[in-house]
């Protein structure tokens, strides 16, 4: 009986082991997964109870929140009232859908408005700051350079390789890839997404995942370095720049522009005022010298002769 029991137990463990190993989130290494039933694996974000759909990309807002939680856990000490004034990663407020809330605030009661990519688009204000809408980031421009090789790649091959990369790895429909241009070693990619159906990934999430991959900090569970192959040859990405363009221009740009124009006008007026003042002083000095010289000549003419 004991040998039979051992065989049965071994079969159970053999069946359960792959199921347990498969209970992971391939698209989010920060997700905690657990087997909560036969064939049912549930993954949730680190530090929260929000479930994660591991068949697609996790929203950038949820990713940033998970990163901040992990950073706090790793941090040994920080000043109790310290404030980080960085426009990079922060602990965002997210909607249940994973979208950024239009208004973001930090612990110092400083608030600002963001776009769908979570980037600041207004000046910082107080808690009374109102953000009427979450402005959509419609265009994303990605520029990258690759290491020079002995032979340049063909343009169609580069376009095909990158299109397949964004479609297979980042689940992005090719219709959102507006253009890919290649002028060795520079590659330019333009993503265009006016409206996002619920079933499509957001281009802001795609750009965030891609940036993490290039910087060797992949969000995917397989932490291997990103490899892009063009006809069997590796496309080694060297530098990366990402630019976000919203449907509406950022509000703080106009304020900065107005402030810049005011500063230029002030400098011009001050310069002109100083110049006029210098000219008036020089003219006054010349007039004064001329009058002194004229008075001296008159006194010499009117002086009586000693003879």
């Amino acid at each position: 009986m004991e040998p039979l029991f051992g065989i049965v137990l071994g079969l159970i463990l053999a069946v359960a082991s792959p199921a347990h190993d498969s209970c992971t989130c391939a698209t989010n290494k920060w997700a905690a997964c657990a087997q909560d039933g036969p064939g049912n694996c549930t993954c949730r974000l680190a530090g929260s109870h929000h479930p994660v759909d591991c068949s697609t990309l996790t929203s950038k807002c949820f990713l940033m929140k998970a990163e901040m939680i992990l950073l706090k856990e790793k941090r040994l000490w920080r000043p109790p009232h310290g404030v980080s004034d960085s426009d990079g990663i922060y602990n965002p407020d997210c909607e249940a859908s994973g979208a950024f809330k239009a208004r973001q605030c930090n612990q110092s009661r400083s608030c600002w408005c963001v776009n769908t990519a979570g980037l600041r688009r207004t000046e910082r204000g107080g808690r009374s700051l109102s953000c009427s809408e979450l402005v959509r980031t419609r265009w994303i421009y990605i520029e990258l350079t690759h290491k020079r090789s002995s032979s340049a790649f063909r343009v169609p091959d580069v376009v095909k390789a990158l299109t397949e990369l964004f479609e297979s790895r980042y689940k992005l429909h090719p219709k959102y890839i507006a253009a890919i241009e290649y002028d060795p070693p520079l590659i330019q990619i333009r993503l265009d997404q006016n409206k996002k159906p619920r079933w499509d990934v957001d281009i802001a999430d795609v750009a965030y995942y891609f940036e993490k991959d290039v910087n060797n900090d992949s969000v995917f569970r397989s932490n291997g370095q990103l490899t892009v192959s063009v006809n069997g040859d590796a496309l080694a990405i060297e530098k990366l720049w990402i630019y976000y363009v919203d449907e509406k221009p950022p509000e703080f740009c106009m304020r900065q522009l107005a402030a810049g124009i005011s500063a230029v006008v002030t400098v011009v007026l001050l310069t002109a005022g100083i110049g006029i003042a210098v000219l008036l002083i020089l003219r006054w000095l010349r007039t004064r010298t001329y009058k002194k010289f004229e008075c001296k000549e008159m006194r010499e003419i009117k002086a009586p002769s000693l003879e």
Side-chain angles (χ1 to χ4, degrees), residues 61-80:
C61 190
F62 284 155
L63 289 178
M64 289 175 59
K65 181 171 285 292
E67 285 183 89
M68 288 301 298
I69 291 174
L70 294 173
L71 286 175
K72 288 180 180 179
E73 291 177 352
K74 293 180 180 179
R75 186 181 291 116
L76 297 177
W77 179 86
R78 72 173 180 179

Side-chain angles (χ1 to χ4, degrees), residues 41 66 83 91 95 116 119 153 164 184 188 198 221 229 306:
C41 178
V83 177
N91 190 2
E95 302 285 359
T116 53
L119 303 179
F153 301 103
E164 291 178 351
Q188 294 177 311
R198 183 179 54 84
R221 182 161 295 276
S229 178
L306 296 177

